[in-house]
Amino acid sequence: MNEPRPPITILGTGALAMRFGAMLARAGHAVTLAGTWAEGLAAMGGRGIEVVEGHDGWRVDVATLSLALPANGANVSTGDVPPSPYLLVLVKSHQTPRLAPVAARLAAPDGLIVTLQNGLGNAECLAASAGPDRVAVGVTTLGAAVAGPGRVRVGGDGTVTIGRSAATAARVDALVDILVAAGIDAAATDDIAPTVWRKLAVNCAINPLTAYLGVPNGRLLDDPRTIALLHAAAAEVAAVAAALGIPLDADVAALAEAVAARTADNRSSMLQDTDRGAPTEIDAINGAVVRAGKVVGVETPVNAALWQAIVSLTADDAASPRPRDVGSLIEGAARCP
Ligand code: PAF
């Protein structure tokens, strides 16, 4: 008789949370999506996750858990959801500090919490609540966009890479097998840092530029000035990584350009955030690079200007109508240290 498939909990209700949740549920796992988006949770609780792939679609049932913060400031309840052997964290980075204690309770004491989020700092934040031996860092390049509450449109194909440590290796390998069996191109590595920083370089280059200019990824390649900013942002990330002793083994400026071309029609995750007036991940992406650059003495003026531009854009959206001018970003970079 086949072994029962382990249950999996996903922290998040957005596009990637739905894409991972749907694929794992279709492979026979009991999947619970836990999050704070009331409409998304209600839709998934009623009719499962609807997946749109090109002109086709499919649907799969999942369980849901509402993590709404009680008005009286009490702890977020995890209801009667049993602690899970595997917890995938796919909430936006700014939610990690608030939800890290919840993640620690949703994962079994000997379970594995894997952050697949953008940016830096999420693993450290999760480990502060759950302990480092329960946390692993993953990087995914799978694409997805929210098509409505409980409805996800599949974007480009991509991969999942998860970092192993001596303490987590067996659980990471078991999770990789689960992901592969669910049709996800997954692998483990003993050194995740280069993969994290290569993706960070792409995110630092594409996400704030698309969000600031209000354009899909491919439009960045229409103007030599945005191409120059894209290259410069990615090159600064490579310089910081080199100073930290992290070998990227890639020309990340060329990589960012190639990703923008390959995902030309995508609206980046940061643009999707600014479009719906939600907080962005700018602090964990460009902000984290600027802070790391300061520590190792590497100047990051383009990342600093992009960080500032998105912070002021989201603080003052109504007062800064689109289209915004790429010239102001170039001036900003010249002013930033
Ligand atoms: O965050 C995103 O949107 C994606 O990581 C990327 C690669 C920039 C493509 O849109």
Side-chain angles (χ1 to χ4, degrees):
M1 216 170 72
N2 286 343
E3 287 274 303
R5 297 187 202 283
I8 295 179
T9 301
I10 298 185
L11 197 52
T13 50
L16 280 178
M18 286 194 273
R19 184 165 182 190
F20 276 94
M23 292 182 81
L24 289 162
R26 186 170 64 171
H29 297 272
V31 172
T32 302
L33 273 88
T36 54
W37 184 26
E39 293 88 343
L41 290 164
M44 286 186 278
R47 54 172 199 272
I49 299 176
E50 289 182 68
V51 182
V52 184
E53 288 200 69
H55 295 297
D56 298 326
W58 50 279
R59 202 195 65 77
V60 66
D61 285 330
V62 292
T64 58
L65 170 66
S66 170
L67 297 175
L69 194 63
N72 62 6
N75 279 342
V76 176
S77 164
T78 51
D80 52 9
V81 174
S84 170
Y86 300 103
L87 178 78
L88 305 185
V89 181
L90 281 158
V91 293
K92 296 285 178 184
S93 301
H94 65 87
Q95 291 184 304
T96 312
R98 176 162 87 79
L99 292 177
V102 181
R105 279 185 277 133
L106 285 173
D110 58 353
L112 184 70
I113 300 172
V114 180
T115 161
L116 291 167
Q117 300 158 277
N118 282 333
L120 299 181
N122 292 299
E124 292 76 2
C125 184
L126 291 164
S129 285
D133 291 352
R134 288 209 288 157
V135 178
V137 178
V139 174
T140 181
T141 57
L142 283 176
V146 174
R151 198 155 191 260
V152 60
R153 185 177 307 283
V154 164
D157 275 341
T159 59
V160 175
T161 311
I162 306 176
R164 298 154 39 116
S165 67
T168 61
R171 286 165 293 162
V172 168
D173 288 346
L175 178 61
V176 165
D177 288 346
I178 286 170
L179 294 172
V180 170
I184 297 166
D185 182 359
T189 174
D190 291 328
D191 186 11
I192 191 72
T195 314
V196 168
W197 280 77
R198 280 194 294 271
K199 178 158 189 210
L200 184 65
V202 170
N203 286 140
C204 279
I206 295 178
N207 295 28
L209 281 170
T210 50
Y212 186 76
L213 298 169
V215 297
N217 298 352
R219 287 273 301 283
L220 298 178
L221 307 179
D222 290 349
D223 182 337
R225 295 173 305 163
T226 46
I227 297 176
L229 285 170
L230 181 97
H231 285 174
E236 286 178 7
V237 179
V240 176
L244 287 166
I246 299 169
L248 297 193
D249 297 330
D251 174 350
V252 287
L255 177 66
E257 187 174 332
V259 172
R262 185 165 50 77
T263 60
D265 295 334
N266 279 20
R267 296 177 78 74
S268 77
S269 52
M270 198 172 286
L271 174 57
Q272 292 180 47
D273 291 339
T274 52
D275 275 349
R276 62 194 169 93
T280 73
E281 298 189 297
I282 194 74
D283 225 51
I285 297 176
N286 304 78
V289 168
V290 174
R291 287 190 294 275
K294 284 203 165 74
V295 172
V296 290
V298 173
E299 292 195 345
T300 53
V302 174
N303 279 280
L306 292 170
W307 183 20
Q308 270 175 23
I310 296 299
V311 167
S312 48
L313 168 73
T314 44
D316 189 25
D317 200 22
S320 42
R322 288 184 174 136
R324 293 173 196 92
D325 182 26
V326 67
S328 61
L329 288 176
I330 295 168
E331 282 164 27
R335 275 196 311 274
C336 281

